[in-house]
Amino acid sequence: HTLKARIQESRGNFDEAVASLNSALDANPRDVGALLYRARLRTHQQQFELARSDIDSVLRLQPKLPQAILLRSIVSAAQNRMSEAIGDLQSLIKRSPENSDLKMQLAAYFEADRRPRRAIETYDQILGAYPENAQVLRRRADALLSVGRQTDALKDYQMALQKMPNDPSTLNNLAWLLSTSPIEELRNGEQALVHAQKACEVT
């Protein structure tokens, strides 16, 4: 049944895939893999309460399963229950403090929760280990910009652009900063146009 669900999912038949997993769980209600798989599909279908029910069933069977806690955080974020989403990720990071992917997700949650300074702190931690990670530099620049630290944001955008010269988000946001900054020495209309035009070209 689980294999059938995977084939159906690959064809975009999500309802049929869920039905196959229902059959698998009828045969074995304690099948953690099938419960998690159905929760993921239900999350994809935006059936968040049903997904949460499956995740709760998994965690009753395996209370500390990281995959279930991570998926619960995704469901919580989708439901705008940001404190719960953040709490789940923080618990996972305590168990895996070197996991930069979890920290990136945590920083994104902080930004969604309108806590950009906490996001910046988290990006700082990641960059302490991976100082040339261009995606993190760009994301930190966005957060810095949102709290008015335009000079620091400009440095991060420029460093990110050296690593990702064709990244449209970096080009666009850097162009916006250079064209609109209230700090006179940061404004550079000519360079802003160069970046904005390139952003248009690459998209």
Side-chain angles (χ1 to χ4, degrees):
H1 290 301
T2 303
L3 177 59
K4 186 177 178 181
R6 296 190 186 283
I7 294 169
Q8 289 163 330
E9 181 193 9
S10 71
R11 294 174 176 171
N13 300 324
F14 294 101
D15 289 337
E16 290 85 348
V18 169
S20 292
L21 291 170
N22 291 343
S23 297
L25 288 162
D26 286 341
N28 180 8
R30 298 172 64 87
D31 186 336
V32 168
L35 283 165
L36 267 180
Y37 190 5
R38 189 172 67 178
R40 182 174 63 77
L41 290 176
R42 285 173 162 173
T43 301
H44 178 82
Q45 294 176 300
Q46 299 187 0
Q47 297 174 349
F48 299 123
E49 289 304 324
L50 290 173
R52 186 178 291 275
S53 176
D54 281 345
I55 294 165
D56 289 343
S57 296
V58 170
L59 291 172
R60 281 193 291 271
L61 295 167
Q62 296 188 30
K64 295 185 178 181
L65 188 66
Q67 298 97 312
I69 295 171
L70 177 59
L71 185 55
R72 185 173 65 183
S73 81
I74 293 169
V75 171
S76 294
Q79 294 179 301
N80 203 30
R81 295 160 66 166
M82 298 311 301
S83 294
E84 295 176 29
I86 288 167
D88 274 338
L89 274 189
Q90 288 175 325
S91 72
L92 290 175
I93 290 169
K94 283 183 181 179
R95 294 158 59 183
S96 183
E98 304 304 318
N99 191 318
S100 60
D101 290 334
L102 289 177
K103 289 180 180 179
M104 279 285 283
Q105 190 68 46
L106 178 62
Y109 286 171
F110 279 133
E111 290 191 77
D113 201 35
R114 298 183 180 180
R115 290 195 266 172
R117 288 177 176 80
R118 292 297 305 274
I120 292 166
E121 291 173 6
T122 308
Y123 291 134
D124 288 345
Q125 293 173 15
I126 301 169
L127 288 165
Y130 305 99
E132 296 188 357
N133 187 310
Q135 286 291 348
V136 182
L137 285 165
R138 199 271 295 171
R139 294 270 294 273
R140 186 174 69 175
D142 292 344
L144 289 166
L145 197 59
S146 74
V147 297
R149 292 173 56 183
Q150 298 207 346
T151 301
D152 293 330
L154 177 61
K155 292 177 183 176
D156 275 358
Y157 282 136
Q158 290 172 333
M159 289 174 62
L161 198 62
Q162 290 176 5
K163 305 292 181 182
M164 305 184 299
N166 294 317
D167 180 64
S169 294
T170 305
L171 289 162
N172 177 79
N173 295 359
L174 177 55
W176 187 90
L177 189 158
L178 292 171
S179 62
T180 66
S181 177
I183 303 171
E184 186 175 355
E185 55 268 28
L186 296 187
R187 287 198 305 275
N188 186 329
E190 182 178 353
Q191 196 62 45
L193 275 172
V194 170
H195 295 315
Q197 288 171 335
K198 187 171 183 180
C200 291
E201 290 169 5
V202 299
T203 54

